[in-house]
Amino acid sequence: LATWAFLSRGETPASDAYGKTVEDGSVFLVKMEDDSNLSLDTRVILVGCLADTYSLTRIPLVLSCLRKHLAALPSEDLSPWHAYAANSVLFSSVGEDWVRQVVLQIRAAPPSREAPLLDQASRLLLFDFIDLPEPERTLELAAVRTLDPSAWRKCERPLMTAFMLCKALGGQPSEDRLNWSRDFYPDMYGRQQVRGAVGWWTPSDLGVAGAKEFAGMSDEESAIYSTAMMIMSCPWTGSRLPSFQKKLSLVAPPASEP
């Protein structure tokens, strides 16, 4: 996840300031074996991070690893990370059929009782990269409003919910984006701990200490996780090179003649 945060800023192994860090993180990702003992979240994060690594570097070995991990992901289960990872996979131009399958699963899944705001934000995010009817966007956006985005700290996974809301509402050409940005970002920046040129966040800084999202994490791990999530939530992240808008149709193109 920390490597993904660097990639979300457009950093690559060739970057002057953070190149060595991204290179080390990319090597770690490539060496990771597919392991069914890993949580579904971890496996989906790995796929998304590999997809962005390949988008930015076009390294053949990264492509091989991405395809391997995509093929090994269970198709019947969904993680909250699936929507964002699908966006990354689409931009990598690898696995469009996998992206279509994920989108269809998300749209067909019943609303989550445990994480309704996170679930709804994930559904709204799809409109950023999938060619879907505009009236459906209106309905999904209305559902997010009803659930009150400002209540993200009360959610079971508050930082994941805030991150998904940043991505979903950030793509809306509406007052919803302005309202969220006006309230969330100044508060987030104001809670950052700063020491010289170094800045970070902890769950306590963000007012979400004790959330189940951090279960099993050490203090250092929860600080790394919180900082990565906040960096990825920033409005200046999420850019990929080359920068272009790409939307996928849910209707797969016909197979070419042999």
Side-chain angles (χ1 to χ4, degrees), residues 13-40:
S15 299
D16 291 336
Y18 305 111
K20 184 62 167 64
T21 300
V22 178
E23 180 181 355
D24 290 346
S26 300
V27 169
F28 174 79
L29 295 174
V30 166
K31 288 183 176 180
M32 284 187 71
E33 295 294 329
D34 185 70
D35 185 350
S36 58
N37 292 322
L38 293 174
S39 70
L40 181 60

Side-chain angles (χ1 to χ4, degrees), residues 95-130:
E96 287 191 356
D97 288 340
W98 181 83
V99 174
R100 287 190 183 91
Q101 181 183 20
V102 166
V103 171
L104 290 171
Q105 282 182 273
I106 292 174
R107 297 182 75 210
S112 168
R113 293 183 178 180
E114 293 77 21
L117 185 54
L118 173 56
D119 179 67
Q120 197 60 52
S122 298
R123 295 169 67 90
L124 184 59
L125 178 62
L126 300 180
F127 290 86
D128 273 6
F129 62 97
I130 302 294

Side-chain angles (χ1 to χ4, degrees), residues 1-250:
L1 186 62
T3 301
W4 209 357
F6 282 97
L7 293 167
S8 73
R9 287 174 45 105
E11 303 290 351
T12 74
S15 299
D16 291 336
Y18 305 111
K20 184 62 167 64
T21 300
V22 178
E23 180 181 355
D24 290 346
S26 300
V27 169
F28 174 79
L29 295 174
V30 166
K31 288 183 176 180
M32 284 187 71
E33 295 294 329
D34 185 70
D35 185 350
S36 58
N37 292 322
L38 293 174
S39 70
L40 181 60
D41 276 7
T42 300
R43 299 174 75 182
V44 177
I45 289 171
L46 176 59
V47 161
C49 194
L50 284 170
D52 275 355
T53 303
Y54 181 65
S55 292
L56 290 164
T57 66
R58 292 306 193 200
I59 297 174
L61 179 58
V62 174
L63 174 60
S64 175
C65 291
L66 171 59
R67 285 175 169 161
K68 177 185 71 173
H69 287 289
L70 268 177
L73 267 180
S75 59
E76 65 277 6
D77 298 321
L78 283 175
S79 156
W81 283 101
H82 261 95
Y84 191 68
N87 192 3
S88 294
V89 171
L90 176 62
F91 272 86
S92 73
S93 299
V94 178
E96 287 191 356
D97 288 340
W98 181 83
V99 174
R100 287 190 183 91
Q101 181 183 20
V102 166
V103 171
L104 290 171
Q105 282 182 273
I106 292 174
R107 297 182 75 210
S112 168
R113 293 183 178 180
E114 293 77 21
L117 185 54
L118 173 56
D119 179 67
Q120 197 60 52
S122 298
R123 295 169 67 90
L124 184 59
L125 178 62
L126 300 180
F127 290 86
D128 273 6
F129 62 97
I130 302 294
D131 189 14
L132 295 171
E134 194 62 28
E136 292 189 25
R137 179 200 294 267
T138 302
L139 291 174
E140 299 291 1
L141 186 54
V144 170
R145 290 187 195 124
T146 300
L147 292 167
D148 186 11
S150 66
W152 63 271
R153 280 193 176 87
K154 300 177 182 178
C155 297
E156 189 172 85
R157 301 181 70 169
L159 298 193
M160 181 70 201
T161 302
F163 163 74
M164 196 61 69
L165 285 167
C166 287
K167 297 307 173 187
L169 294 175
Q172 303 310 309
S174 68
E175 192 174 327
D176 297 85
R177 171 174 55 84
L178 298 176
N179 289 340
W180 172 260
S181 300
R182 183 186 61 236
D183 295 338
F184 179 78
Y185 292 116
D187 181 66
M188 180 191 78
Y189 297 141
R191 291 172 179 267
Q192 185 184 40
Q193 291 194 48
V194 179
R195 183 181 301 160
V198 179
W200 68 94
W201 289 267
T202 68
S204 295
D205 296 331
L206 295 165
V208 293
K212 292 182 180 180
E213 190 168 7
F214 311 105
M217 296 185 192
S218 66
D219 289 346
E220 182 180 33
E221 288 168 341
S222 64
I224 292 172
Y225 175 85
S226 300
T227 301
M229 291 296 283
M230 291 300 98
I231 290 172
M232 292 175 69
S233 297
C234 289
W236 34 261
T237 63
S239 58
R240 297 175 179 83
L241 300 176
S243 58
F244 57 89
Q245 286 291 329
K246 180 175 183 179
K247 284 205 172 186
L248 180 70
S249 170
L250 286 182

